[in-house]
Amino acid sequence: MKINTAEFVISNTDVSKCPQTGLPEYAFIGRSNVGKSSLINMLTNNKKLAMTSSTPGKTQLINHFLINKQWYLVDLPGYGYANRSKKSVADIQRIIGSYLEQRLEMTCLFVLVDSRLEPQKIDVDFMNWLGKNQVPFAIVFTKADKQSKLKTDNNVKTYLNTLSEQWEELPPFFITSSLNGSGRDELLFYIESINTELKKK
Ligand code: GTP
Ligand code: MG
């Protein structure tokens, strides 16, 4: 799929203030610093669209970006950032929780995990919660450029094996690098195929 236009629309903390156009949206979530905003910039070929930072906790709001005037990419705040105040952790949880529970337009949630790490409890717990709440999701392994392809492939295999100990069916998964663009075509193709299915309905 070709990205012709990518426009920032609105940031907010309140799901009821998200765009009311009814267009499908694809949201990005995961621990702080895992690379959500960078991935959105990589997908849209626009380094300045979503704000990124080497310091965790950069994205604190629900951010909507309209793509090709037809669907949205949504940048969400990261979870699991240790240096946040209790109030800030509670605020972020409330924002994420209300978005995931109430936003009917949310078509697929991409859960980002660092491709260098073994499964982290916070991510696996979160994915279990998604399963229980029937939130459709896919896993995105990020920062694949930071190690050899062999190492990434082995880590991904171990990760999926760990999940299959608990789950009957594994979600779709993607291996990406926002630095060199790997995984971009696959992710956009996946989104496009869902958009096409939705249009048939
Ligand atoms: P919060 O908004 O704080 O939750 O973080 P985030 O998940 O949006 O992460 P962000 O995209 O801001 O990236 C965090 C840091 O990781 C930045 O310094 C990025 O440059 C770096 N980074 C993100 N993706 C990649 C990648 O694929 N490869 C490499 N090498 N660095 C990356
Ligand atoms: Mg961010």
Side-chain angles (χ1 to χ4, degrees), residues 10-183:
I10 190 170
S11 290
N12 62 73
T13 57
D14 183 350
V15 63
S16 68
K17 295 197 183 113
C18 289
Q20 300 295 328
T21 51
L23 295 173
E25 59 197 44
Y26 299 84
F28 293 75
I29 202 160
R31 285 190 303 143
S32 281
N33 221 38
V34 69
K36 301 174 291 294
S37 305
S38 302
L39 186 63
I40 287 179
N41 292 346
M42 183 271 260
L43 291 175
T44 56
N45 265 331
N46 182 344
K47 284 199 167 65
K48 293 190 178 139
L49 192 64
M51 272 188 276
T52 66
S53 165
S54 56
T55 323
K58 178 72 185 171
T59 310
Q60 310 238 3
L61 304 165
I62 305 168
N63 300 286
H64 275 76
F65 303 97
L66 181 61
I67 311 300
N68 293 351
K69 316 247 180 229
Q70 285 171 1
W71 51 279
Y72 296 99
L73 285 174
V74 179
D75 194 10
L76 294 171
Y79 55 73
Y81 170 42
N83 284 353
R84 271 191 185 126
S85 70
K86 266 197 185 148
K87 171 161 183 341
S88 166
V89 170
D91 284 347
I92 299 280
Q93 274 176 356
R94 183 186 51 75
I95 294 169
I96 293 173
S98 60
Y99 175 80
L100 293 178
E101 281 163 8
Q102 294 170 37
R103 185 70 175 164
L104 298 176
E105 292 86 341
M106 210 294 296
T107 302
C108 179
L109 182 68
F110 292 100
V111 181
L112 278 62
V113 296
D114 191 317
S115 64
R116 296 168 296 174
L117 305 179
E118 53 191 42
Q120 306 287 300
K121 187 174 184 303
I122 190 163
D123 294 319
V124 177
D125 286 351
F126 179 68
M127 289 188 240
N128 284 333
W129 182 88
L130 294 175
K132 272 193 206 109
N133 289 276
Q134 295 182 311
V135 179
F137 73 98
I139 302 179
V140 177
F141 296 93
T142 65
K143 307 193 184 183
D145 59 276
K146 291 217 178 203
Q147 62 193 351
S148 71
K149 182 171 181 311
L150 185 68
K151 188 97 185 67
T152 302
D153 287 347
N154 278 336
N155 278 1
V156 168
K157 215 189 271 170
T158 309
Y159 205 105
L160 297 173
N161 280 341
T162 308
L163 293 183
S164 46
E165 285 168 13
Q166 294 187 44
W167 302 352
E168 257 171 53
E169 208 183 323
L170 289 173
F173 69 93
F174 301 89
I175 300 173
T176 64
S177 161
S178 296
L179 200 76
N180 65 26
S182 64

